[in-house]
């Protein structure tokens, strides 16, 4: 059984756009046009797409904050509409990293409060709060008021809040947006640790390098539909993106650099090595430049 499963989710909204100075007209916005995806246990799944593509709407449906117009979604086997209460008990959610806390309470007090809301005893809530503050590297600031926390500290505290009840499934919507490099690196490390613990993680991000580093599989969404899905490597191969191989060869007449573009780097490397050996040349350096996820993303959403 998949940890998270969505089948043909559809969702539309009624919006209004201005016509002239005063008049407005009603407009139907199709946020999701049949989104399907699945996330395995012990997997980090990255959902990528431009603004307005449907990423946050998908997260809100999976976390029971929105009801889909049609389609089916399950989290840990529970239907997100019919069994919403049970879904909320097994998920951790980071939707707006710097919102939802009490400014005059300390980081520790905030976590204890949310732990109590999840039904933990006071002793267990305090124990979990202390553990998680160490996990997100905020134990040194546990007694400082939340209002004194920086944006990076607030983002890390929001992840601690999402984990206070030890959920098996975690949804992270842009958890590193606006963070400094050190804070962002800390959160990437935390996401990797969640995977090692066997949890299922759904991550949305505009940082494609970050997604490529932490995600096992990626879905690229545009205009409310997942257009391509797979591991970053699989997606690049599906799209026919080209690798660049640079090989420095040495012979009696000196050295030279061979530069080749290919969609099959393994076969091309084998060919270069055999050809060099057949001509009595020695390869002193080989460099393979892999296409980036950013190239794949641009190719998909630009179609």
């Amino acid at each position: 059984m998949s940890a998270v499963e969505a089948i043909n989710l559809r969702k539309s909204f009624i919006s209004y756009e201005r016509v002239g100075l005063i008049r407005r007209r009603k407009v139907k916005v199709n946020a999701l046009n049949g989104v399907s995806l699945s996330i395995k246990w012990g997997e980090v799944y990255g959902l990528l797409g431009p603004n307005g593509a449907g990423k946050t709407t998908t997260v809100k449906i999976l976390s029971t904050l929105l009801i889909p117009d049609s389609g089916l979604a399950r989290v840990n086997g529970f239907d997100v509409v019919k069994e919403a209460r049970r879904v909320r008990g097994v998920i951790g959610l980071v939707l707006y990293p710097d919102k939802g806390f009490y400014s005059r309470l300390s980081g520790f007090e905030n976590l204890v409060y949310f732990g109590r809301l999840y039904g933990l005893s006071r002793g267990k809530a305090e124990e979990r709060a202390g553990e998680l503050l160490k996990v997100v590297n905020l134990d040194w600031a546990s007694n400082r008021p939340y209002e004194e926390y920086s944006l990076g500290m607030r983002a890390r505290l929001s992840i601690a809040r999402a984990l206070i009840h030890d959920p098996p499934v975690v949804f992270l919507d842009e958890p590193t947006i606006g963070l400094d490099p050190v804070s962002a690196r800390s959160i990437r490390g935390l996401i990797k640790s969640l995977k090692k613990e066997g949890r299922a993680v759904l991550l949305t991000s505009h940082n494609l390098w970050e997604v490529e580093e932490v995600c096992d599989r990626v879905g690229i969404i545009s205009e409310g539909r997942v257009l391509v899905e797979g591991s970053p490597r699989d997606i690049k191969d599906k799209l026919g993106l080209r690798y660049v191989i640079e090989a420095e060869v040495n012979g009696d007449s000196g050295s030279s650099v061979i530069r080749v573009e290919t969609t099959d780097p393994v076969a091309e490397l084998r060919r270069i090595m055999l050809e060099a050996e057949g001509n009595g040349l020695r390869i002193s350096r080989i460099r393979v430049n892999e296409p980036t996820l950013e190239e794949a993303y641009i190719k998909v959403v630009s179609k």
Side-chain angles (χ1 to χ4, degrees):
M1 180 183 69
S2 297
V4 178
E5 183 180 25
I7 302 172
N8 200 29
L9 291 179
R10 297 181 181 272
K11 183 67 179 178
S12 62
F13 301 97
I14 298 299
S15 181
Y16 294 87
E17 63 180 25
R18 188 177 297 279
V19 180
L21 294 176
I22 300 175
R23 294 179 55 235
R24 296 190 306 165
R25 66 183 174 191
K26 188 182 294 186
V27 178
K28 184 179 180 181
V29 178
N30 294 315
L32 300 184
N33 290 307
V35 166
S36 297
L37 59 85
S38 66
I39 307 173
K40 304 171 185 176
W41 294 109
E43 178 179 57
V44 181
Y45 184 99
L47 191 60
L48 306 180
N51 292 331
K55 301 186 301 297
T56 299
T57 301
T58 301
V59 172
K60 286 184 175 181
I61 289 175
L62 294 175
S63 57
T64 76
L65 296 178
L66 284 176
I67 296 176
D69 296 337
S70 63
L72 175 69
R74 298 188 187 93
V75 177
N76 197 26
F78 302 127
D79 188 287
V80 299
V81 176
K82 298 176 182 178
E83 301 171 285
R85 178 182 286 273
R86 301 191 73 174
V87 170
R88 292 169 193 151
V90 298
I91 65 170
L93 174 65
V94 175
L95 195 58
Y96 305 106
D98 60 338
K99 294 182 179 180
F101 290 97
Y102 293 91
S103 60
R104 295 190 179 181
L105 295 183
S106 68
F108 178 80
E109 291 168 334
N110 266 289
L111 291 183
V112 171
Y113 171 76
F114 287 109
R116 296 285 281 155
L117 288 182
Y118 275 107
L120 302 182
S121 67
R122 184 167 189 85
K124 184 62 177 177
E126 290 179 347
E127 179 183 346
R128 283 289 293 165
E131 292 172 353
L132 289 169
L133 286 166
K134 291 180 181 178
V135 169
V136 299
N137 193 26
L138 282 177
D139 50 320
W140 59 274
S142 61
N143 294 318
R144 285 178 57 180
Y146 177 79
E147 61 188 0
E148 295 181 7
Y149 277 27
S150 67
L151 179 59
M153 294 166 67
R154 293 180 181 189
R156 282 181 278 158
L157 189 67
S158 70
I159 294 179
R161 178 179 61 183
L163 299 176
I164 191 69
H165 57 302
D166 199 24
V169 180
V170 183
F171 299 136
L172 304 175
D173 189 27
E174 300 280 1
T176 62
I177 189 168
L179 300 190
D180 62 88
V182 174
S183 296
R185 182 178 183 182
S186 175
I187 289 179
R188 287 195 298 272
L190 180 56
I191 293 171
K192 292 177 182 178
S193 70
L194 295 177
K195 171 189 170 180
K196 290 180 180 179
E197 293 169 3
R199 304 179 202 255
V201 180
L202 172 61
L203 169 70
T204 76
S205 177
H206 282 98
N207 187 332
L208 301 187
W209 173 84
E210 176 178 85
V211 169
E212 190 159 11
E213 181 184 357
V214 303
C215 292
D216 302 288
R217 287 191 303 131
V218 172
I220 300 179
I221 185 172
S222 183
E223 297 181 349
R225 296 177 58 218
V226 176
L227 301 180
V228 64
E229 185 182 55
S231 69
R233 178 68 179 271
D234 288 342
I235 289 175
K236 296 170 190 177
D237 290 344
K238 287 177 185 177
L239 296 173
L241 298 184
R242 304 181 75 82
Y243 295 73
V244 178
I245 299 175
E246 294 178 349
E248 184 176 330
V249 295
N250 298 288
D252 295 337
S253 59
S255 63
S256 61
V257 176
I258 299 172
R259 187 178 187 276
V260 179
E261 293 188 10
T262 179
T263 58
D264 189 346
V266 175
E268 192 62 33
L269 280 170
R270 186 179 297 115
R271 185 192 66 78
I272 290 173
M273 295 176 71
L274 288 173
E275 188 173 314
E277 183 180 355
N279 288 286
L281 302 174
R282 181 173 57 86
I283 297 177
S284 59
R285 180 179 61 87
I286 292 180
R287 179 178 179 180
V288 180
N289 297 313
E290 183 176 348
T292 65
L293 187 59
E294 181 178 18
E295 293 176 63
Y297 171 84
I298 291 173
K299 187 170 184 178
V300 171
V301 301
S302 298
K303 288 182 179 179

